Amino acid sequence: LVASGGNDSFCDSGTWATTCTVSTAKDAPGGANFGGAALTINSGGALRFPDGQASSSIDLSGAITINSGGSLGQSGTTAKLSVFRGASITQAGSMYADTATFSATSTDITISGALTGNTTAMSAGSGNVTISSTITGNIGTLSASGTVQVTGTGSIAGSVGSPLIRGRLEASR
């Protein structure tokens, strides 16, 4: 399944060519590949992937936003994403996924919602990474051109293998 260019049934409003907005629960088949402009998952919305099935991908040219009360994946299961990439990533809702590439290509990654799963490589491109919630899982490589901040009650409940931070690492409470 390739959602780009024709499968807008996952969008409650908008399209993959503009901004696909998910406001209700949607079940994607294993091996789904989502491409296009931007994705917003609103409160009450969910994009769920079957546990243990073929790896899927979300590779967008614009922003990925998971608002508070929205979710990618679902509690108790772990989606497998080979690529989770957008120009920027703002995650205030919940995310349950093992990802190979977790990447913001042009600006920032902001994680203020629960993130459960292992990440092979997390990269903020030319931006910053801000973590103000708990990441439960391991991060193989964490890279940012700017600042990596762990603030408030933020933590990484796992290991970080190779931090490649060109800016600075800040931890504040």
Side-chain angles (χ1 to χ4, degrees):
L1 169 72
V2 178
S4 178
N7 193 340
D8 293 327
S9 64
F10 287 95
C11 309
D12 288 301
S13 63
T15 68
W16 287 104
T18 56
T19 298
C20 177
T21 300
V22 176
S23 301
T24 59
K26 306 289 184 186
D27 291 317
N33 297 306
F34 294 96
L39 171 66
T40 298
I41 301 176
N42 285 329
S43 180
L47 187 54
R48 301 181 301 213
F49 297 86
D51 191 29
Q53 290 199 9
S55 187
S56 298
S57 68
I58 299 173
D59 193 356
L60 307 177
S61 60
I64 298 173
T65 304
I66 305 171
N67 289 316
S68 181
S71 69
L72 179 71
Q74 61 196 40
S75 182
T77 65
T78 304
K80 291 179 177 58
L81 296 175
S82 58
V83 176
F84 183 69
R85 179 175 28 231
S88 64
I89 298 172
T90 303
Q91 183 216 325
S94 301
M95 184 169 167
Y96 307 91
D98 286 339
T99 56
T101 301
F102 189 116
S103 172
T105 56
S106 61
T107 57
D108 300 337
I109 296 174
T110 304
I111 300 172
S112 60
L115 174 57
T116 302
N118 296 310
T119 301
T120 304
M122 182 180 287
S123 171
S126 60
N128 304 306
V129 175
T130 303
I131 300 166
S132 60
S133 66
T134 299
I135 295 177
T136 304
N138 300 311
I139 300 173
T141 301
L142 174 61
S143 66
S145 294
T147 302
V148 174
Q149 293 181 314
V150 181
T151 64
T153 59
S155 65
I156 299 173
S159 66
V160 177
S162 302
L164 303 170
I165 302 165
R166 293 178 197 85
R168 62 184 191 274
L169 174 63
E170 296 177 0
S172 62
R173 301 268 181 234

